[in-house]
Amino acid sequence: MDVAFVDVESKAEGAVDQGGPSREYYRLLRDSAIFEGPEGAKWLSLDVHASHEGLYGTIGKMISVCVVHGGVGPHFSERLFAAVCGNPAPPLSLEEVSHTTLRAHLENIKKAEDLSEVKNKLEESVDWLSLLGLTRIVVKTMEDRDGVVELVAQQFVHGSMQVALEQLKYGLNSFGPLFVDSIKPPTARDLRDLFTVTYSIPCGNRRCLENDTICHWFNWLAEVQECPPLTVVMVFEFATGATVVPPLGFEDTATIEFLHKARGRLAGQQKKTYPEANTCAVTLRLPLHSTYNTTFRCWIKTYFYDT
């Protein structure tokens, strides 16, 4: 895979893909419009044009390519995972009915307190029921009310998505069966364990500054984990181009380097105060700070917010 991002005039940005652009592409692929729902719980979004063009199958195939090339997995919802694998589906809730109007009709039916009100609410929903092929609904008891709500929700979530689901499964099978665990956002400990620190020789002034800086860095990560809105995932994305470690890991060893003050002909350059990242090489470069103070925290937080 060799990914290049282009502008509206199809001009490439000029970056050589050594891993970073590919991971960014995989992340955008996972956020495609054919999926909906929160991060880590994706379900299929109904798009007739996408189904007609076979887009679900194409994206399924690209997800397989993503995993094979070390990209981030799709992180399906438990329901979509079960559907792809042919397992029994988990219980359905009305929150999973993504269409707000239909969900409101179902909620009104479920809140009806007697048979007369149930029938009135069903009459108000007759157009939606007809679109889903549910034209012969008979309600004789209040227990039937709950069964109708479940039937309509099932038909919308599963029945209307059957073609899209089959296309997706076909695409995912491009490289054989694909099984993806639920998403596990990285923690401060994960970042600490992932990156190998490149130190200067022991006992020198540079090494002392590096020891102080790396201690401050680890302390700051722990603080970020406990103090949103800045998150460890945001830091991880800045450093690697991904939001989680790819299933096959990174091709290069993730490393931390330090931004020492320039010497020789470059000695006049201003000291760098913000972290830098090379997502292709998975290299994070930290500015040197001897004290852990408010300025240090604000500099880094401001930098991540601005980028």
Side-chain angles (χ1 to χ4, degrees):
M1 286 287 286
D2 187 13
V3 174
F5 285 91
V6 299
D7 59 20
V8 293
E9 297 177 350
S10 298
K11 294 181 180 179
E13 64 179 9
V16 177
D17 186 6
Q18 296 180 339
S22 289
R23 286 190 291 273
E24 178 71 9
Y25 168 71
Y26 299 146
R27 183 173 62 83
L28 294 173
L29 178 70
R30 189 186 61 202
D31 295 334
S32 166
I34 74 162
F35 296 111
E36 62 186 12
E39 182 73 9
K42 298 290 186 180
W43 176 250
L44 293 178
S45 174
L46 181 59
D47 187 326
V48 175
H49 293 292
S51 177
H52 180 72
E53 296 171 357
L55 184 60
Y56 294 91
T58 300
I59 290 184
K61 183 178 295 184
M62 291 309 301
I63 289 174
S64 295
V65 173
C66 157
V67 174
V68 168
H69 286 267
V72 177
H75 307 305
F76 294 153
S77 66
E78 184 182 357
R79 179 170 306 282
L80 182 53
F81 180 78
V84 167
C85 298
N87 296 334
L92 184 66
S93 66
L94 287 184
E95 286 72 18
E96 295 180 82
V97 178
S98 58
H99 198 291
T100 54
T101 304
L102 177 58
R103 184 170 67 245
H105 279 293
L106 295 178
E107 289 173 345
N108 289 335
I109 295 172
K110 195 172 183 64
K111 292 176 182 177
E113 297 180 354
D114 53 52
L115 284 178
S116 176
E117 187 178 0
V118 170
K119 293 178 180 179
N120 288 336
K121 296 302 181 182
L122 285 172
E123 185 65 28
E124 293 174 2
S125 309
V126 66
D127 291 338
W128 284 100
L129 300 179
S130 297
L131 286 173
L132 293 172
L134 302 172
T135 58
R136 300 182 180 180
I137 292 179
V138 178
V139 178
K140 296 181 178 181
T141 66
M142 293 302 289
E143 287 73 19
D144 292 340
R145 175 201 62 181
D146 296 336
V148 167
V149 171
E150 175 71 15
L151 177 63
V152 175
Q154 288 282 358
Q155 179 62 18
F156 178 81
V157 174
H158 290 284
S160 61
M161 298 292 184
Q162 195 59 40
V163 174
L165 178 62
E166 291 302 319
Q167 287 186 13
L168 180 68
K169 289 167 64 176
Y170 180 82
L172 290 175
N173 271 318
S174 298
F175 295 97
L178 173 67
F179 300 93
V180 182
D181 292 330
S182 59
I183 186 172
K184 297 178 181 178
T187 64
R189 169 65 67 177
D190 293 333
L191 259 73
R192 180 171 180 170
D193 294 341
L194 175 66
F195 283 86
T196 299
V197 182
T198 303
Y199 289 107
S200 299
I201 59 174
C203 302
N205 292 333
R206 285 194 167 201
R207 182 59 176 268
C208 290
L209 285 173
E210 291 168 357
N211 289 340
D212 290 340
T213 298
I214 205 66
C215 288
H216 299 331
W217 174 253
F218 291 150
N219 289 337
W220 180 74
L221 285 177
E223 181 177 330
V224 168
Q225 185 165 274
E226 302 298 330
C227 301
L230 186 64
T231 65
V232 174
V233 173
M234 293 168 62
V235 180
F236 191 88
E237 183 179 331
F238 167 78
T240 68
T243 53
V244 295
V245 177
L248 302 183
F250 293 105
E251 183 175 350
D252 299 301
T253 300
T255 58
I256 288 179
E257 299 176 352
F258 299 96
L259 295 169
H260 287 280
K261 187 175 181 180
R263 295 179 176 179
R265 296 171 59 186
L266 302 178
Q269 292 185 354
Q270 186 176 2
K271 178 183 177 182
K272 295 185 177 181
T273 55
Y274 298 126
E276 298 176 356
N278 182 334
T279 57
C280 292
V282 197
T283 300
L284 180 64
R285 301 184 181 94
L286 299 179
L288 293 166
H289 296 276
S290 58
T291 59
Y292 186 64
N293 50 35
T294 304
T295 303
F296 175 73
R297 295 196 296 271
C298 290
W299 278 340
I300 297 182
K301 289 183 180 180
T302 301
Y303 184 78
F304 282 119
Y305 288 150
D306 290 344
T307 55

